[in-house]
Amino acid sequence: SGDPFSFIVFHKVVAEIRAKQGLPAAARQSLQAARSLLNGWPNVWLQGRLAVTGMGIEMTQSDYGSALSYAQEAMQCAEKSGSRDVSVPALGNLAHLRLVQGQLSEAQDAIKKVQGLMRVGGHTEIGSRDTEMEIALAAGDLERAKILAEEISMISAKREGGRSYHGLWNTLTQVRLSFRLGQSQAGLEMAREALPYAEYTNRNLFERMQLLVAEGLGRTGQPQRGAAV
């Protein structure tokens, strides 16, 4: 007995926690448990939310084929339910997926749709602008990236002093921009300051921040220390 909705949401939350801990197999298992329960209790909105979760899990594992499949499912559910809670994260993930696939025009189109739907000033805006900043970096448009960096910093500072989940992911992009601009010492300091916060936030984030610290040490003439990170 029990409320099926609560059980499904419970497994969804566990899947998201496991993904942040860097445990993809456990995350997939929890997600599958939620989707199995959903078979006996159909709900288009919840199906879309689970698809968004699945998309995020697969993207962290660079399984872009599975991520795209989840994205298509999520968008179909968003259209049926009319829910912004499904369409915004689905489009945001799709934009990032297209970015890593090198499809910059498609990524930009998706992020513009997100920005037309999202609430201003929240975590979603930080995430969407971070993706837009990554697109600018990938396109070599450093001036646009600098403008976005300043805008994001202002928004992010109001959310846990820039140390929110999305704020820390943007720190990665800010550090990469500093390196591209030849400001290696500033980028290294930024990464070092964020590293302890990243460690307690997300394993994948922490590992990427470690790599940037190592790169920064190499860029500032400390390759031996960088290799030890």
Side-chain angles (χ1 to χ4, degrees):
S1 61
D3 177 13
F5 182 89
S6 297
F7 283 125
I8 294 169
V9 171
F10 169 76
H11 285 296
K12 173 182 178 294
V13 171
V14 171
E16 292 169 349
I17 292 172
R18 294 292 180 260
K20 288 182 178 181
Q21 292 173 331
L23 302 170
R28 287 173 175 137
Q29 185 176 19
S30 293
L31 179 63
Q32 187 54 49
R35 287 169 69 86
S36 295
L37 285 170
L38 192 65
N39 290 332
W41 197 74
N43 181 301
V44 174
W45 175 82
L46 196 48
Q47 180 186 350
R49 295 290 293 174
L50 291 176
V52 169
T53 298
M55 187 180 184
I57 293 170
E58 299 308 332
M59 286 178 63
T60 64
Q61 299 306 301
S62 301
D63 186 345
Y64 302 131
S66 295
L68 182 58
S69 178
Y70 275 124
Q72 292 168 341
E73 180 181 352
M75 293 307 302
Q76 289 172 358
C77 291
E79 291 177 7
K80 292 177 181 177
S81 67
S83 173
R84 185 168 59 181
D85 290 338
V86 177
S87 59
V88 169
L91 283 166
N93 283 347
L94 181 61
H96 193 76
L97 174 60
R98 293 309 188 194
L99 168 64
V100 297
Q101 291 179 319
Q103 300 175 17
L104 303 187
S105 178
E106 291 84 349
Q108 189 66 45
D109 288 344
I111 212 65
K112 288 301 182 185
K113 290 178 181 177
V114 171
Q115 292 170 350
L117 294 169
M118 70 184 184
R119 296 180 181 88
V120 176
H123 294 301
T124 302
E125 183 172 13
I126 297 172
S128 70
R129 289 187 179 275
D130 178 52
T131 300
E132 189 176 6
M133 184 177 167
E134 288 190 88
I135 294 170
L137 278 176
D141 190 349
L142 300 187
E143 289 303 314
R144 177 60 179 161
K146 286 166 62 177
I147 293 171
L148 287 165
E150 293 177 4
E151 293 177 353
I152 297 168
S153 294
M154 291 178 62
I155 300 168
S156 184
K158 300 175 184 177
R159 298 277 176 171
E160 302 173 40
R163 303 307 186 192
S164 68
Y165 176 77
H166 290 94
L168 286 168
W169 275 105
N170 177 248
T171 299
L172 290 175
T173 316
Q174 299 264 4
V175 172
R176 288 171 49 219
L177 173 61
S178 294
F179 290 168
R180 291 281 294 275
L181 293 172
Q183 300 169 357
S184 300
Q185 188 61 43
L188 172 59
E189 291 174 4
M190 194 184 308
R192 275 176 160 169
E193 289 175 5
L195 194 61
Y197 297 96
E199 184 174 8
Y200 293 104
T201 301
N202 180 284
R203 182 175 177 178
N204 188 24
L205 171 66
F206 175 63
E207 290 173 350
R208 293 190 185 195
M209 198 72 73
Q210 280 185 308
L211 289 174
L212 286 180
V213 169
E215 181 179 346
L217 288 168
R219 285 174 176 269
T220 55
Q222 306 170 76
Q224 292 183 334
R225 293 183 63 188
V229 173

